[in-house]
Amino acid sequence: MEALITLLPGDGIGPDVIACARQVLDVVAEQHGHKFEYREELIGGAAIDTHGDPLPPATIEACAAADAVLLGAVGGPKWSDPNAKIRPEQGLLKLRSVLGVYANIRPVKIYAELAGASPLKAEVLEGVDMLVIRELTGGIYFGKKTRSASSASDLCEYTVEEVARIVRVAARLAAGRRGKLCSVDKANVLETSRLWRQVATEVAGGFPDVELEHQLVDSATMRLIQNPASFDVVVTGNM
């Protein structure tokens, strides 16, 4: 297999992480007969310092042309002013939007060798193996923002299709695991969450081998501490 990988070391520890990841990829390529070609570009604070833009056109072009994109880290103390008009995180959000990367897949698994590093008791961690699927290109992060001398607002907005596509991803993954899908929302307060719950129910209905449950984020947070092993796949919004 031949593949073009765009490397975005970014800021802080990012360049060190990407350098090590590249060494691992080189070993994988050697052992399995692959050929990886790398192209490195700037993002975040490093791109602001060089180009005045957290996601320069060259970076967008390189990512769009690549078979895969490997990102290190974005931001750091040097660019930590929340009132700055140009911030490193803007590059990350724009990259997600430009590439249509709407599904953030986060595996959570406990390895016996590392269990002692957790603040939770060992018996609570036994059997923990879950996937958290976070919607990544909608919601309050991408909604219209306003600011005046006396107030500020961030619009949280979701469309039916945005919810449906992320729930489909989560349901497909759940179907290949233990068949349990937990949709986490705030439907007792937020209209977007009520839409989310309705669409999640409709989409999950097309996966007969998947058991769907809805849970408010408040109780889901408590359950993560008390009984994390009860989760299989969790799907939730951007915030």
Side-chain angles (χ1 to χ4, degrees):
M1 180 185 73
E2 295 186 9
L4 172 61
I5 302 175
T6 293
L7 305 177
L8 305 179
D11 310 316
I13 198 174
D16 296 319
V17 172
I18 292 299
C20 292
R22 181 170 178 169
Q23 291 178 14
V24 173
L25 287 172
D26 287 340
V27 173
V28 170
E30 182 179 353
Q31 292 190 357
H32 297 277
H34 303 316
K35 182 179 179 182
F36 296 147
E37 181 182 345
Y38 304 103
R39 177 175 174 179
E40 186 171 312
E41 296 292 344
L42 298 174
I43 191 173
I48 292 174
D49 289 349
T50 303
H51 300 289
D53 184 345
L55 189 68
T59 300
I60 297 175
E61 177 188 345
C63 291
D67 297 295
V69 178
L70 193 57
L71 173 68
V74 169
K78 182 179 178 181
W79 311 276
S80 63
D81 180 6
N83 295 313
K85 291 185 177 180
I86 301 178
R87 293 184 49 81
E89 295 81 2
Q90 293 169 346
L92 180 60
L93 294 179
K94 185 177 180 180
L95 182 64
R96 293 172 182 171
S97 181
V98 168
L99 296 181
V101 183
Y102 63 87
N104 188 344
I105 302 174
R106 295 294 182 105
V108 182
K109 189 171 184 178
I110 302 301
Y111 293 93
E113 297 83 357
L114 299 175
S118 172
L120 300 181
K121 294 180 180 179
E123 56 265 30
V124 175
L125 298 175
E126 187 173 345
V128 171
D129 182 2
M130 75 177 86
L131 290 178
V132 179
I133 314 300
R134 172 192 171 198
E135 200 289 322
L136 211 58
T137 59
I140 198 168
Y141 278 38
F142 287 85
K144 182 180 177 181
K145 307 178 189 308
T146 68
R147 176 75 178 270
S148 71
S150 59
S151 68
S153 69
D154 296 275
L155 177 65
C156 184
E157 185 175 18
Y158 269 114
T159 66
V160 168
E161 178 51 32
E162 284 175 328
V163 179
R165 66 184 182 180
I166 191 68
V167 174
R168 279 194 293 267
V169 170
R172 283 197 296 266
L173 290 168
R177 290 169 52 92
R178 303 199 305 273
K180 297 168 62 179
L181 177 60
C182 180
S183 177
V184 176
D185 59 40
K186 190 64 176 172
N188 59 335
V189 175
L190 301 177
E191 197 61 42
T192 46
S193 283
R194 287 189 275 271
L195 173 70
W196 182 284
R197 186 169 290 207
Q198 174 191 328
V199 175
T201 300
E202 294 170 355
V203 171
F207 294 82
D209 296 330
V210 174
E211 176 187 352
L212 172 69
E213 68 169 318
H214 299 284
Q215 191 154 24
L216 297 176
V217 65
D218 316 66
S219 57
T221 302
M222 178 64 75
R223 182 173 157 193
L224 277 170
I225 300 300
Q226 294 180 328
N227 188 17
S230 65
F231 289 106
D232 181 16
V233 177
V234 176
V235 63
T236 191
N238 208 339
M239 188 67 182

